[in-house]
Amino acid sequence: MALQADLLESIPQTRYLSAESYISYRAIMRTFYLEYQKMHYQLDKDTILTLLHKDPLFVEYTAEQLISDLDQLAKWKNLTPIQDPHKAYTITDFKNRQFQYMMTEAALEVERMTITLENLYTRTTGLSSSAFRRLQTALHTAEHLEGMSLKEIGEWWQELQEDFRRLRQNHQDYLREFYGPNAEKQMKSAEFIAYKQHLIHYLEDFIQDLQSSAAQIGALLESFTGDQVNRILTLVHQSALEIPRPHSEQTPLWQEELWQKEQGVWQSLMGWFTGKDSTARQVMDVTNEVIRRVVQNAAILVQMQNMGVSNKAELHHLMTLFASAASIEDAHRLSALVFGVQQCRHFTVNAERETERIDLSTYEEPPMDYALQPRVRTYKPRMDRSGFADKSAEKAAQRQKILEEERRLQEKVMGYIRDGRLDFSALSDPVPPEVRTVFLSWVAMANLAPDGCGHTQYGQRFSLQKRGKGTCDLICTDGTLTMPDCTLVFEGNGYV
């Protein structure tokens, strides 16, 4: 079978791997790829130079060399330069090409290929929550590694790494599609309106799974003590040493490098799911931003379509009226009606009128006084000084009202608890909406807690008990709520 001619053309995106200055080219592209994994899709030359200077090999690397290398990579279509007008304070700065650079899709795949040659591999899929569930299961298994063989521990560690790698790679590849030039074109097309709703539901489901799963995984990781983590990694390291390796791979420091790699995987897990600036929180922020852009572009498209239809019909009707005008005077009157008076004078006063009639002439109204102020810089108007009004009585009354409402709500809530238990399936009296909100907040609090317990706003501690996977009907004053069949058990006394 004959090959197509376009498949035999050279690939310019791979030239930087074997060019004369391949060291600097590869360092720049690897820097872009590492920052891309952190969702920093666009970098300027100052940021790139700062990152390169962290490597001892590029301490003497100058900005002129960087600009030359960036221009060459842009010619080979590895980078896409984007003009950044926000940093151009003068015309000279604008002419000096203040660019933001972004990796092209082909360059991204080439860099992944180089990592594949370094015994790593990546794949691209959609957003899935299955990796979250497998990671949770794997972390629960980590508590029982002592009773497993070294082979089983090695398989457990490989599956954990694979699930974590797939989770990171999938969301990076999927969300990056919304930051390229092709995404802007798609969002501005008419077909995007029909696709918008499905995409928003897809992203919102992913955010919900990420929010709940990341919190649970982060709690599991933080529950491990330093000794437990060290013991887990020691068992993993022992299982890795049991694997026969060729002599070519057994470098003088290969065991130490293997230990550092295993520690790095665990630290990456901690950085992904724990802390205020965790990667999971960054992914939620980026996904919310994508949803905002999708909704905004779809609204603009709908508005433009509606404006186009209405304006076309309106203009056609106006042209018909102008064409049927009997004289130029009638056309002038029609123009004044449609477009307003062409020459007019406006009077502005700072006093209230005695009447709101619009047909009353200015000369028929009584005169008004208009206060003028000197147009000098040293003039300052006289200010009326007055003290603050005492509102302590109003605040005390408002505070008493709020406390009284809270007391009544507490009495209602406690009225449904019998013998220290709140059985939702056994409630016969209809539940008001404000009481139902309190009950559901307690259930949600216990579900999110690792031990299934929580504290009420009234100081009582409780635990959640579920009856299998069944459901029950909670009768409310505004309808019936179907919810999981469960019971809240309270500690201590003092319940009716």
Tab-separated table of all heavy atoms in Angstrom, residues 120-121 135 138 154-168 236 258 261-262 264-266 269:
chain	number	residue	atom	x	y	z
A	120	LEU	N	8.701	6.760	31.639
A	120	LEU	CA	7.402	7.268	32.049
A	120	LEU	C	6.495	7.223	30.840
A	120	LEU	O	6.951	7.207	29.700
A	120	LEU	CB	7.506	8.701	32.587
A	120	LEU	CG	8.360	8.885	33.835
A	120	LEU	CD1	8.457	10.357	34.172
A	120	LEU	CD2	7.775	8.129	35.006
A	121	TYR	N	5.169	7.228	31.090
A	121	TYR	CA	4.232	7.250	29.983
A	121	TYR	C	2.968	7.951	30.413
A	121	TYR	O	2.652	8.010	31.596
A	121	TYR	CB	3.898	5.843	29.472
A	121	TYR	CG	3.238	4.958	30.479
A	121	TYR	CD1	1.852	4.830	30.510
A	121	TYR	CD2	3.995	4.255	31.404
A	121	TYR	CE1	1.244	4.015	31.434
A	121	TYR	CE2	3.386	3.440	32.338
A	121	TYR	CZ	2.013	3.326	32.345
A	121	TYR	OH	1.411	2.518	33.262
A	135	LEU	N	-8.098	5.300	44.766
A	135	LEU	CA	-7.110	5.847	45.693
A	135	LEU	C	-7.577	5.708	47.143
A	135	LEU	O	-6.770	5.394	48.031
A	135	LEU	CB	-6.854	7.320	45.359
A	135	LEU	CG	-5.948	7.612	44.153
A	135	LEU	CD1	-5.901	9.109	43.881
A	135	LEU	CD2	-4.547	7.082	44.396
A	138	ALA	N	-7.075	2.135	48.107
A	138	ALA	CA	-5.656	1.830	48.284
A	138	ALA	C	-5.130	2.383	49.606
A	138	ALA	O	-4.340	1.734	50.301
A	138	ALA	CB	-4.858	2.393	47.111
A	154	GLY	N	4.170	-4.727	46.306
A	154	GLY	CA	4.644	-4.101	45.064
A	154	GLY	C	3.517	-3.862	44.081
A	154	GLY	O	3.457	-2.797	43.436
A	155	GLU	N	2.597	-4.805	43.939
A	155	GLU	CA	1.452	-4.616	43.051
A	155	GLU	C	0.545	-3.501	43.557
A	155	GLU	O	0.035	-2.688	42.771
A	155	GLU	CB	0.667	-5.926	42.942
A	155	GLU	CG	1.443	-7.041	42.244
A	155	GLU	CD	0.681	-8.356	42.255
A	155	GLU	OE1	-0.380	-8.408	42.932
A	155	GLU	OE2	1.137	-9.310	41.608
A	156	TRP	N	0.345	-3.439	44.894
A	156	TRP	CA	-0.459	-2.357	45.467
A	156	TRP	C	0.159	-0.994	45.181
A	156	TRP	O	-0.545	-0.041	44.819
A	156	TRP	CB	-0.580	-2.578	46.970
A	156	TRP	CG	-1.145	-1.406	47.716
A	156	TRP	CD1	-2.448	-1.083	47.884
A	156	TRP	CD2	-0.390	-0.374	48.390
A	156	TRP	NE1	-2.570	0.079	48.609
A	156	TRP	CE2	-1.327	0.542	48.940
A	156	TRP	CE3	0.967	-0.136	48.585
A	156	TRP	CZ2	-0.930	1.658	49.663
A	156	TRP	CZ3	1.363	0.978	49.302
A	156	TRP	CH2	0.425	1.862	49.828
A	157	TRP	N	1.473	-0.886	45.316
A	157	TRP	CA	2.157	0.393	45.076
A	157	TRP	C	2.085	0.799	43.607
A	157	TRP	O	1.876	1.977	43.286
A	157	TRP	CB	3.605	0.268	45.537
A	157	TRP	CG	4.412	1.527	45.376
A	157	TRP	CD1	5.427	1.750	44.512
A	157	TRP	CD2	4.265	2.745	46.118
A	157	TRP	NE1	5.941	3.010	44.663
A	157	TRP	CE2	5.240	3.654	45.639
A	157	TRP	CE3	3.416	3.153	47.135
A	157	TRP	CZ2	5.373	4.931	46.146
A	157	TRP	CZ3	3.550	4.428	47.638
A	157	TRP	CH2	4.514	5.313	47.146
A	158	GLN	N	2.240	-0.163	42.699
A	158	GLN	CA	2.155	0.152	41.270
A	158	GLN	C	0.756	0.618	40.892
A	158	GLN	O	0.586	1.572	40.104
A	158	GLN	CB	2.552	-1.071	40.433
A	158	GLN	CG	4.010	-1.472	40.556
A	158	GLN	CD	4.951	-0.389	40.070
A	158	GLN	OE1	4.639	0.366	39.145
A	158	GLN	NE2	6.112	-0.295	40.704
A	159	GLU	N	-0.281	-0.020	41.428
A	159	GLU	CA	-1.650	0.410	41.138
A	159	GLU	C	-1.930	1.796	41.717
A	159	GLU	O	-2.613	2.615	41.086
A	159	GLU	CB	-2.637	-0.610	41.718
A	159	GLU	CG	-2.598	-1.964	41.020
A	159	GLU	CD	-3.511	-2.971	41.685
A	159	GLU	OE1	-4.124	-2.620	42.727
A	159	GLU	OE2	-3.612	-4.109	41.184
A	160	LEU	N	-1.394	2.075	42.911
A	160	LEU	CA	-1.563	3.401	43.500
A	160	LEU	C	-0.919	4.482	42.636
A	160	LEU	O	-1.524	5.537	42.359
A	160	LEU	CB	-0.966	3.415	44.907
A	160	LEU	CG	-0.981	4.771	45.645
A	160	LEU	CD1	-2.406	5.182	45.948
A	160	LEU	CD2	-0.165	4.689	46.929
A	161	GLN	N	0.315	4.221	42.173
A	161	GLN	CA	0.991	5.190	41.309
A	161	GLN	C	0.247	5.383	39.992
A	161	GLN	O	0.122	6.504	39.496
A	161	GLN	CB	2.428	4.740	41.033
A	161	GLN	CG	3.343	4.776	42.224
A	161	GLN	CD	4.768	4.429	41.848
A	161	GLN	OE1	5.560	5.277	41.473
A	161	GLN	NE2	5.097	3.150	41.935
A	162	GLU	N	-0.240	4.283	39.427
A	162	GLU	CA	-0.936	4.377	38.139
A	162	GLU	C	-2.226	5.172	38.270
A	162	GLU	O	-2.531	6.034	37.434
A	162	GLU	CB	-1.235	2.976	37.614
A	162	GLU	CG	-2.097	2.934	36.359
A	162	GLU	CD	-1.436	3.602	35.169
A	162	GLU	OE1	-0.201	3.760	35.188
A	162	GLU	OE2	-2.162	3.963	34.227
A	163	ASP	N	-3.005	4.932	39.328
A	163	ASP	CA	-4.242	5.692	39.535
A	163	ASP	C	-3.946	7.168	39.759
A	163	ASP	O	-4.648	8.044	39.231
A	163	ASP	CB	-5.013	5.123	40.728
A	163	ASP	CG	-5.556	3.741	40.459
A	163	ASP	OD1	-5.792	3.429	39.277
A	163	ASP	OD2	-5.741	2.968	41.422
A	164	PHE	N	-2.913	7.466	40.532
A	164	PHE	CA	-2.551	8.859	40.793
A	164	PHE	C	-2.051	9.537	39.521
A	164	PHE	O	-2.389	10.694	39.239
A	164	PHE	CB	-1.486	8.899	41.887
A	164	PHE	CG	-1.111	10.293	42.313
A	164	PHE	CD1	-2.086	11.255	42.535
A	164	PHE	CD2	0.217	10.651	42.479
A	164	PHE	CE1	-1.743	12.539	42.925
A	164	PHE	CE2	0.566	11.931	42.859
A	164	PHE	CZ	-0.414	12.872	43.080
A	165	ARG	N	-1.247	8.839	38.738
A	165	ARG	CA	-0.740	9.409	37.490
A	165	ARG	C	-1.875	9.658	36.505
A	165	ARG	O	-1.947	10.715	35.858
A	165	ARG	CB	0.284	8.467	36.848
A	165	ARG	CG	0.916	9.025	35.569
A	165	ARG	CD	1.375	7.919	34.669
A	165	ARG	NE	0.275	7.053	34.278
A	165	ARG	CZ	-0.611	7.365	33.359
A	165	ARG	NH1	-0.556	8.523	32.729
A	165	ARG	NH2	-1.583	6.535	33.060
A	166	ARG	N	-2.803	8.695	36.392
A	166	ARG	CA	-3.924	8.866	35.469
A	166	ARG	C	-4.825	10.023	35.911
A	166	ARG	O	-5.308	10.798	35.078
A	166	ARG	CB	-4.735	7.576	35.412
A	166	ARG	CG	-5.835	7.600	34.335
A	166	ARG	CD	-6.654	6.334	34.347
A	166	ARG	NE	-5.826	5.181	34.037
A	166	ARG	CZ	-5.569	4.209	34.909
A	166	ARG	NH1	-6.047	4.273	36.138
A	166	ARG	NH2	-4.820	3.182	34.567
A	167	LEU	N	-5.019	10.164	37.218
A	167	LEU	CA	-5.838	11.263	37.726
A	167	LEU	C	-5.229	12.608	37.352
A	167	LEU	O	-5.922	13.510	36.871
A	167	LEU	CB	-5.966	11.135	39.248
A	167	LEU	CG	-6.623	12.312	39.987
A	167	LEU	CD1	-8.072	12.450	39.558
A	167	LEU	CD2	-6.515	12.116	41.483
A	168	ARG	N	-3.922	12.771	37.579
A	168	ARG	CA	-3.269	14.046	37.251
A	168	ARG	C	-3.282	14.316	35.754
A	168	ARG	O	-3.599	15.415	35.313
A	168	ARG	CB	-1.819	14.033	37.760
A	168	ARG	CG	-1.687	14.017	39.273
A	168	ARG	CD	-0.234	14.077	39.671
A	168	ARG	NE	0.519	12.963	39.077
A	168	ARG	CZ	1.838	12.864	39.125
A	168	ARG	NH1	2.553	13.800	39.701
A	168	ARG	NH2	2.451	11.828	38.586
A	236	VAL	N	7.369	-0.785	50.840
A	236	VAL	CA	7.354	-0.590	49.383
A	236	VAL	C	8.756	-0.696	48.822
A	236	VAL	O	8.986	-1.304	47.760
A	236	VAL	CB	6.722	0.783	49.058
A	236	VAL	CG1	6.918	1.118	47.588
A	236	VAL	CG2	5.241	0.782	49.399
A	258	LEU	N	15.909	5.164	44.043
A	258	LEU	CA	14.613	4.508	44.137
A	258	LEU	C	13.877	4.934	45.399
A	258	LEU	O	12.673	5.204	45.387
A	258	LEU	CB	14.797	2.991	44.118
A	258	LEU	CG	13.518	2.130	44.120
A	258	LEU	CD1	12.679	2.431	42.888
A	258	LEU	CD2	13.870	0.653	44.189
A	261	LYS	N	12.570	8.426	44.941
A	261	LYS	CA	11.407	8.433	44.048
A	261	LYS	C	10.148	8.012	44.795
A	261	LYS	O	9.078	8.611	44.623
A	261	LYS	CB	11.664	7.495	42.874
A	261	LYS	CG	10.507	7.417	41.896
A	261	LYS	CD	10.807	6.454	40.758
A	261	LYS	CE	9.602	6.342	39.821
A	261	LYS	NZ	9.870	5.388	38.730
A	262	GLU	N	10.257	6.993	45.651
A	262	GLU	CA	9.098	6.534	46.417
A	262	GLU	C	8.640	7.615	47.408
A	262	GLU	O	7.434	7.839	47.588
A	262	GLU	CB	9.460	5.239	47.156
A	262	GLU	CG	9.699	4.069	46.214
A	262	GLU	CD	10.504	2.956	46.861
A	262	GLU	OE1	11.018	3.160	47.977
A	262	GLU	OE2	10.633	1.887	46.239
A	264	GLY	N	9.085	10.788	46.913
A	264	GLY	CA	8.513	11.845	46.093
A	264	GLY	C	7.072	11.568	45.699
A	264	GLY	O	6.246	12.493	45.635
A	265	VAL	N	6.745	10.294	45.435
A	265	VAL	CA	5.361	9.944	45.099
A	265	VAL	C	4.438	10.244	46.272
A	265	VAL	O	3.348	10.814	46.112
A	265	VAL	CB	5.270	8.457	44.685
A	265	VAL	CG1	3.820	8.035	44.514
A	265	VAL	CG2	6.028	8.218	43.391
A	266	TRP	N	4.882	9.898	47.485
A	266	TRP	CA	4.040	10.152	48.665
A	266	TRP	C	3.888	11.653	48.902
A	266	TRP	O	2.795	12.135	49.252
A	266	TRP	CB	4.649	9.473	49.888
A	266	TRP	CG	3.729	9.478	51.065
A	266	TRP	CD1	3.656	10.402	52.055
A	266	TRP	CD2	2.695	8.511	51.345
A	266	TRP	NE1	2.674	10.080	52.955
A	266	TRP	CE2	2.057	8.925	52.545
A	266	TRP	CE3	2.268	7.353	50.724
A	266	TRP	CZ2	1.019	8.203	53.115
A	266	TRP	CZ3	1.230	6.635	51.288
A	266	TRP	CH2	0.620	7.059	52.466
A	269	LEU	N	1.367	13.006	46.576
A	269	LEU	CA	0.010	12.721	47.053
A	269	LEU	C	-0.421	13.739	48.111
A	269	LEU	O	-1.539	14.267	48.064
A	269	LEU	CB	-0.050	11.311	47.638
A	269	LEU	CG	-0.343	10.152	46.683
A	269	LEU	CD1	-0.155	8.833	47.401
A	269	LEU	CD2	-1.743	10.254	46.108
